[in-house]
Amino acid sequence: MGYLGADYTIKSWLLTTDHKRIGLLYMISITVFFLLGGAAATLLRLELMTPRGDVFGSPDDYNRSFTIHGVFMVFFFLIPGVPAVLGNFLIPLMIGARDLAFPRLNLMSWYIYMIGGLFTLYALVAGGVDTGWTFYTPYSTMFSNTQVIAAALGIFIVGFSSILTALNFIVTIHTMRAPGMTWLRLPLFIWAHYATSLIIVLGTPVLAITIILVAVERLFKVGIFDPAYGGDPLLFQHLFWFYSHPAVYIMILPSFGVISEIVTAFARKKIFGYSFMAGALLAIAVLGFLVWGHHMFVSSQSMYAGMIFSVLSFLVAVPSGIKVFNWTATLYKGSVSFKTPMLYALGFIGLFTIGGLTGLVLSTMATDVHVHDTYFVVAHFHYIMVGGMVMAYLGGLHFWWPKITGRMYSEFWGALSALTVFIGFNLTFFPQFLLGYIGMPRRYYEYPEEYQVLNVMSSAGASVLAVGYMMPLIYLMISLKVGKIAGPNPWAASGLEWETSSPPPTHNFLDTKIVTSGPYDYELQEFADMQREVQEQGIV
Amino acid sequence: MSSPSATVHDNTYGQDDTYLYHHFEDLQQQHESSSLGMWAFLSTEVLFFGGVLGAFAVVQTLYGPAMKAASSHLDPILGAYNTAVLLVSSLAMALAVRASQLRQQRNTVLFLIATIVLGSVFLAVKAYEWNHDYHLGLVPGINFDLERYPGRQILFWSFYFTLTGIHALHMVIGIVIIAIMAVLVQRRWFSGGGATQIEMLGLYWHFVDIVWVFLYPILYLINR
């Protein structure tokens, strides 16, 4: 049974250097952190059902809860999610390599991730953190007596894990490609991870040093960010967003890669504008580093700086628009089939578009002043981060599940979960746009009564969403035992990963792959034949 | 994946007895991967120091006179001496890399030890300076004397200790790894003489030295 059956001992998993097994280790760990972050979100939504504070004992507890939610979701789920699980599993397979360039470093990245996670868990057990995931100074330096250092240290450590993973990807993509796999024949999934890795390698160290400065300030009471000593709290925001705005693209670019693979495979068409799609990924990676100031329009930043950051932020919409239009153009006159991965992918395109367009509202200074720090912002970034990354992650998981496990899952339950997640998501977060627009600020645990109806809708939506997220956990597990045998290529998809058995052998390929054409040649007769064959066998 | 340049490297990364990991096609590819990986790592280090240097640049622009006044308590002669020590240690490291490529086991170990000694001299001088600063009451959070050094001067010292501290930490990590490497080379642990490993270590060491070359003028020489 391929790499899964190579050995069954616990040691063979915990000391593995096989990128596929490490991908699965990550899959399990990020799922645990996702559930922890989700549990915190459940408490938040319960609290917000009523205008008065009743679930939490005090506003402080509410603050701790949304900090847990933000820290776990952002640093331990959204950022590592697609790259560490799907990227780890698929990058060597897609480029015809036997492993990542540094297999032991890859295993070490997972251990570093876990150590960072344990530090952060400790911070929670030892009393929690109340600064929000952004750790703004001076909250995090002078006014918080919670476990800021432990949590920050956890994030610092987990940052190394992403740096090492990204470094591994960059080197692998440069040096390990199969003969004939030129840069313009790379699947877009690879391009997406390449662009993401560049951001991680160049952005994460800035967050690391920022965290060190916060820790130094707390430990030694020096005044780098403290105005009493001439320090500048805004300096923190600049350094923090220099990483954390690009971090949004760390979450979304790998998702773009996933969606590109799925859309072409289920539209049975070559991707529209391949080189523009690859170029757009790189353009977003570069532009992402130039827009951090749009988080600080109301933080006494100079008006002219604000205008420049605003214009640069608009520019990000151009490559993002290219992506959405090109996916749509790929669908046009394709023979589209609505399998589970495709349903998730279509959901992604819709939600990402809403998230992206509301981003323009926020990058326009005048409208940002109106909705700054309201639920409008919360809704916007959830549309990007959850509507984007989580939809793509689930879509990718369903698309490559047969490759990862060798089994098919129940298509009925798959489609149902995709629909439930889509409906639940919109029900949860669309009301928050309205709430923010009429003035409800974020991070408050009580609110005036006129906001209650929309808040109840949002909480109701969250419960639907939770059901949607639980379903795959169940039916994917069941598929491991009773799922139909998938065969090497159940979707009749293009790409080297589909040319090896499912699950792949430990060394990925039995022979050296030689690539003679670009990706996504779905118009070729051989793919039509392949699809007919799969359907006749009744696999999908 | 054989390329024309593969033969150029044959002496250095010879096919005879060097270990090739299972997932690489050939030694050329393996060496290129190591090299690119190290450069990518160094680019993260540039950004790591870049963040705090950027912050320091902001402070320096805002409070120039206070920064200059604070900087005058540093001894530029000691700083220059340490700069020279580090540059010579880089030379020793470069010679160690060369020796390992020529499979001169004895010379490799000797030059690595020379690098360790020079690095340690740097750290000793640095420790002396820190001790001196402590006696002058210049360490923020421990004994900073706000009355003797009024205004924004404390900011300079916050950055000074952060910058020289993380630089010294990089030095210590480097020295530990060099020591381990020297022992491994001595014991003929590396089938290929450790040429690739020592070359990567050399890149790291040179990087740490270059950081100091930037730190020295911006900390010691701003009022001169």
Side-chain angles (χ1 to χ4, degrees):
Chain A
M1 276 288 285
Y3 75 101
L4 289 172
D7 197 342
Y8 293 98
T9 58
I10 290 183
K11 192 179 150 204
S12 76
W13 281 91
L14 292 182
L15 295 179
T16 182
T17 52
D18 182 345
H19 66 101
K20 300 179 288 299
R21 286 188 165 210
I22 295 170
L24 289 192
L25 291 178
Y26 270 115
M27 186 193 288
I28 296 164
S29 358
I30 71 160
T31 307
V32 171
F33 284 112
F34 175 77
L35 294 176
L36 284 172
T42 309
L43 292 177
L44 300 178
R45 280 322 318 169
L46 277 175
E47 173 62 70
L48 293 172
M49 293 273 283
T50 57
R52 297 284 137 250
D54 33 28
V55 174
F56 290 101
S58 70
D60 285 340
D61 291 339
Y62 183 80
N63 293 349
R64 288 194 184 95
S65 200
F66 73 65
T67 306
I68 294 171
H69 173 65
V71 166
F72 275 155
M73 288 302 197
V74 170
F75 295 108
F76 293 91
F77 176 72
L78 292 164
I79 288 178
V82 174
V85 179
L86 297 175
N88 236 326
F89 194 96
L90 291 163
I91 286 174
L93 284 167
M94 282 186 167
I95 63 173
R98 287 191 283 267
D99 206 322
L100 288 173
F102 309 115
R104 285 178 300 182
L105 191 68
N106 195 21
L107 179 66
M108 197 170 106
S109 308
W110 180 73
Y111 277 101
I112 295 174
Y113 171 88
M114 293 308 284
I115 292 169
L118 291 179
F119 261 96
T120 315
L121 269 178
Y122 163 79
L124 303 181
V125 177
V129 189
D130 61 357
T131 60
W133 76 277
T134 48
F135 292 95
Y136 267 17
T137 54
Y139 300 139
S140 58
T141 48
M142 291 155 69
F143 297 111
S144 176
N145 53 4
T146 52
Q147 299 292 330
V148 175
I149 291 184
L153 203 59
I155 293 166
F156 177 81
I157 294 170
V158 84
F160 277 100
S161 156
S162 22
I163 288 176
L164 295 178
T165 302
L167 188 153
N168 222 334
F169 287 173
I170 290 177
V171 174
T172 307
I173 295 168
H174 268 279
T175 64
M176 309 282 285
R177 284 170 285 133
M181 179 65 94
T182 59
W183 283 90
L184 290 180
R185 286 178 184 168
L186 288 176
L188 287 169
F189 184 89
I190 302 291
W191 272 111
H193 279 78
Y194 187 73
T196 309
S197 301
L198 289 180
I199 304 178
I200 293 177
V201 161
L202 297 178
T204 317
V206 177
L207 180 73
I209 189 68
T210 312
I211 289 173
I212 287 183
L213 291 177
V214 169
V216 164
E217 179 149 344
R218 278 185 76 90
L219 286 172
F220 298 106
K221 307 276 181 268
V222 301
I224 291 167
F225 302 120
D226 180 354
Y229 295 105
D232 189 349
L234 275 189
L235 184 61
F236 174 86
Q237 293 187 25
H238 280 291
L239 290 171
F240 178 81
W241 288 115
F242 181 84
Y243 165 75
S244 294
H245 189 78
V248 177
Y249 302 116
I250 295 175
M251 300 169 204
I252 202 72
L253 288 185
S255 309
F256 287 166
V258 170
I259 299 305
S260 300
E261 300 296 321
I262 297 176
V263 165
T264 51
F266 292 94
R268 311 306 296 168
K269 258 183 76 190
K270 212 183 188 84
I271 194 101
F272 185 87
Y274 170 87
S275 49
F276 272 79
M277 290 299 257
L281 290 164
L282 293 178
I284 293 173
V286 173
L287 286 172
F289 275 111
L290 306 175
V291 299
W292 77 88
H294 68 212
H295 294 270
M296 299 165 62
F297 284 153
V298 298
S299 310
S300 82
Q301 176 178 260
S302 102
M303 186 181 73
Y304 298 102
M307 282 159 67
I308 288 166
F309 279 123
S310 176
V311 170
L312 287 168
S313 306
F314 292 159
L315 286 184
V316 180
V318 176
S320 309
I322 288 174
K323 306 229 61 112
V324 172
F325 283 124
N326 283 5
W327 287 321
T328 318
T330 307
L331 292 172
Y332 178 66
K333 291 199 176 168
S335 52
V336 178
S337 54
F338 296 97
K339 301 288 184 206
T340 308
M342 187 60 158
L343 290 176
Y344 274 109
L346 294 174
F348 171 96
I349 296 174
L351 298 181
F352 173 75
T353 304
I354 296 176
L357 289 175
T358 50
L360 289 174
V361 175
L362 292 168
S363 56
T364 308
M365 276 199 287
T367 44
D368 180 68
V369 171
H370 179 62
V371 292
H372 193 88
D373 268 346
T374 67
Y375 263 86
F376 193 90
V377 178
V378 176
H380 156 70
F381 72 69
H382 278 88
Y383 263 80
I384 297 285
M385 283 145 81
V386 186
M389 183 274 172
V390 183
M391 292 296 272
Y393 174 68
L394 287 174
L397 198 59
H398 284 86
F399 186 49
W400 284 291
W401 187 258
K403 181 52 65 184
I404 294 170
T405 65
R407 301 276 190 167
M408 299 304 291
Y409 46 83
S410 155
E411 185 59 33
F412 169 79
W413 287 103
L416 191 65
S417 81
L419 283 176
T420 315
V421 167
F422 184 78
I423 293 167
F425 178 88
N426 280 301
L427 201 52
T428 310
F429 291 103
F430 203 84
Q432 296 186 8
F433 277 127
L434 306 176
L435 277 171
Y437 195 76
I438 57 178
M440 178 161 162
R442 64 193 287 198
R443 296 185 171 177
Y444 279 63
Y445 94 133
E446 291 184 331
Y447 53 81
E449 279 177 14
E450 49 268 46
Y451 295 142
Q452 190 174 12
V453 175
L454 286 167
N455 267 308
V456 169
M457 280 169 69
S458 182
S459 294
S463 56
V464 177
L465 189 57
V467 171
Y469 285 146
M470 285 315 195
M471 281 198 284
L473 265 184
I474 298 165
Y475 66 76
L476 287 180
M477 287 303 116
I478 293 175
S479 80
L480 291 176
K481 282 281 171 212
V482 304
K484 264 183 268 182
I485 301 294
N489 192 356
W491 311 117
S494 85
L496 291 180
E497 80 270 30
W498 300 109
E499 290 180 20
T500 188
S501 57
S502 305
T506 300
H507 289 291
N508 291 350
F509 302 100
L510 299 176
D511 50 344
T512 301
K513 291 289 165 194
I514 295 174
V515 181
T516 52
S517 64
Y520 318 125
D521 278 331
Y522 286 106
E523 283 92 341
L524 294 180
Q525 186 60 38
E526 59 173 296
F527 282 101
D529 295 343
M530 216 186 289
Q531 194 180 19
R532 191 169 336 104
E533 207 175 300
V534 175
Q535 280 162 356
E536 278 165 8
Q537 290 168 359
I539 294 173
V540 289
Chain B
M1 286 277 279
S2 71
S3 63
S5 61
T7 48
V8 177
H9 291 286
D10 268 357
N11 282 334
T12 318
Y13 315 107
Q15 304 281 339
D16 48 356
D17 62 349
T18 308
Y19 189 71
L20 177 68
Y21 283 101
H22 71 89
H23 57 295
F24 290 111
E25 293 291 330
D26 54 32
L27 289 163
Q28 164 90 2
Q29 187 191 24
Q30 177 167 306
H31 180 74
E32 278 174 6
S33 299
S34 304
S35 182
L36 182 62
M38 196 65 204
W39 282 105
F41 175 72
L42 293 183
S43 69
T44 75
E45 289 276 30
V46 170
L47 269 292
F48 182 76
F49 282 98
V52 60
L53 285 174
F56 184 55
V58 171
V59 170
Q60 187 131 309
T61 314
L62 290 177
Y63 313 117
M67 295 301 116
K68 284 182 180 175
S71 168
S72 65
H73 298 289
L74 289 171
D75 183 352
I77 305 295
L78 276 182
Y81 173 76
N82 249 354
T83 311
V85 168
L86 267 196
L87 290 178
V88 177
S89 86
S90 258
L91 174 68
M93 183 44 110
L95 290 170
V97 171
R98 181 69 184 150
S100 73
Q101 288 171 350
L102 295 173
R103 305 288 177 91
Q104 298 170 341
Q105 186 219 13
R106 208 178 113 79
N107 282 350
T108 309
V109 175
L110 284 179
F111 285 125
L112 287 178
I113 291 173
T115 313
I116 294 174
V117 169
L118 289 162
S120 308
V121 169
F122 174 92
L123 287 176
V125 174
K126 198 75 239 166
Y128 168 79
E129 286 187 87
W130 283 338
N131 186 41
H132 184 65
D133 301 332
Y134 176 78
H135 286 296
L136 287 177
L138 285 168
V139 188
I142 294 176
N143 71 346
F144 196 83
D145 192 341
L146 269 174
E147 283 171 13
R148 273 171 76 190
Y149 313 105
R152 312 295 194 198
Q153 293 195 33
I154 187 172
L155 267 183
F156 177 88
W157 294 101
S158 304
F159 277 103
Y160 170 80
F161 283 105
T162 310
L163 280 165
T164 55
I166 55 178
H167 178 257
L169 182 66
H170 277 78
M171 298 271 306
V172 170
I173 292 171
I175 287 173
V176 169
I177 300 176
I178 295 172
I180 294 171
M181 210 62 108
V183 171
L184 293 181
V185 173
Q186 177 67 24
R187 293 188 179 172
R188 299 182 185 280
W189 169 276
F190 301 110
S191 50
T196 299
Q197 287 86 347
I198 291 175
E199 188 182 329
M200 300 314 138
L201 182 59
L203 285 174
Y204 173 80
W205 189 257
H206 298 318
F207 170 80
V208 175
D209 291 358
I210 290 170
V211 170
W212 177 257
V213 171
F214 280 87
L215 292 188
Y216 173 57
I218 65 168
L219 291 173
Y220 287 71
L221 302 180
I222 49 174
N223 64 337
R224 269 154 241 273

